[in-house]
Coordinates of all heavy atoms in Angstrom, one line a residue:
I164 N -13.1 -24.8 13.4 CA -11.7 -25.1 13.6 C -11.0 -25.4 12.2 O -9.9 -24.9 11.9 CB -11.5 -26.3 14.5 CG1 -12.0 -25.9 15.9 CG2 -10.0 -26.7 14.6 CD1 -12.0 -27.0 16.9
L208 N 10.7 -20.3 29.4 CA 10.0 -20.3 28.1 C 8.8 -21.3 28.1 O 8.0 -21.3 27.2 CB 10.9 -20.5 26.9 CG 12.0 -19.4 26.7 CD1 12.9 -19.8 25.5 CD2 11.4 -18.0 26.6
V245 N -4.4 5.0 -0.3 CA -3.7 4.4 -1.5 C -4.5 4.7 -2.7 O -3.9 4.9 -3.8 CB -3.5 2.9 -1.2 CG1 -3.1 2.2 -2.5 CG2 -2.5 2.6 -0.2
M246 N -5.8 4.6 -2.7 CA -6.6 4.9 -3.8 C -6.4 6.4 -4.3 O -6.4 6.7 -5.5 CB -8.1 4.7 -3.5 CG -8.5 3.2 -3.2 SD -7.8 2.1 -4.4 CE -8.8 2.5 -5.8
P306 N 18.4 6.9 -15.6 CA 19.0 7.1 -16.9 C 19.6 8.5 -17.1 O 20.7 8.7 -17.7 CB 17.9 6.8 -17.9 CG 17.0 5.9 -17.1 CD 17.0 6.4 -15.7
F425 N -11.8 10.2 1.4 CA -12.8 9.9 0.4 C -13.1 11.2 -0.4 O -13.2 11.1 -1.6 CB -14.1 9.4 1.1 CG -15.3 9.4 0.3 CD1 -15.4 8.4 -0.7 CD2 -16.3 10.3 0.4 CE1 -16.6 8.4 -1.5 CE2 -17.4 10.3 -0.4 CZ -17.6 9.3 -1.4
A431 N -10.3 14.6 -6.7 CA -9.3 14.3 -7.7 C -9.9 13.7 -9.0 O -9.5 14.1 -10.1 CB -8.3 13.2 -7.2
L436 N -11.2 15.8 -14.7 CA -12.0 15.9 -15.9 C -11.9 17.3 -16.5 O -12.4 17.6 -17.6 CB -13.5 15.7 -15.6 CG -13.8 14.3 -15.0 CD1 -15.3 14.2 -14.6 CD2 -13.5 13.2 -16.0
R442 N -7.5 14.1 -18.0 CA -8.7 13.4 -18.1 C -8.5 11.9 -18.4 O -7.6 11.6 -19.2 CB -9.6 14.0 -19.2 CG -11.0 13.6 -19.3 CD -11.8 14.4 -20.3 NE -11.7 15.8 -20.1 CZ -11.4 16.7 -21.0 NH1 -11.0 16.3 -22.2 NH2 -11.3 18.0 -20.7
E450 N -7.6 1.2 -14.5 CA -6.2 0.9 -14.3 C -5.6 1.6 -13.1 O -4.7 1.1 -12.4 CB -5.4 1.4 -15.6 CG -5.7 0.5 -16.8 CD -5.1 1.0 -18.1 OE1 -4.6 2.2 -18.1 OE2 -5.1 0.3 -19.1

Side-chain angles (χ1 to χ4, degrees):
I164 294 172
L208 299 179
V245 168
M246 298 309 294
F425 168 74
L436 302 175
R442 193 177 300 128
E450 290 174 348

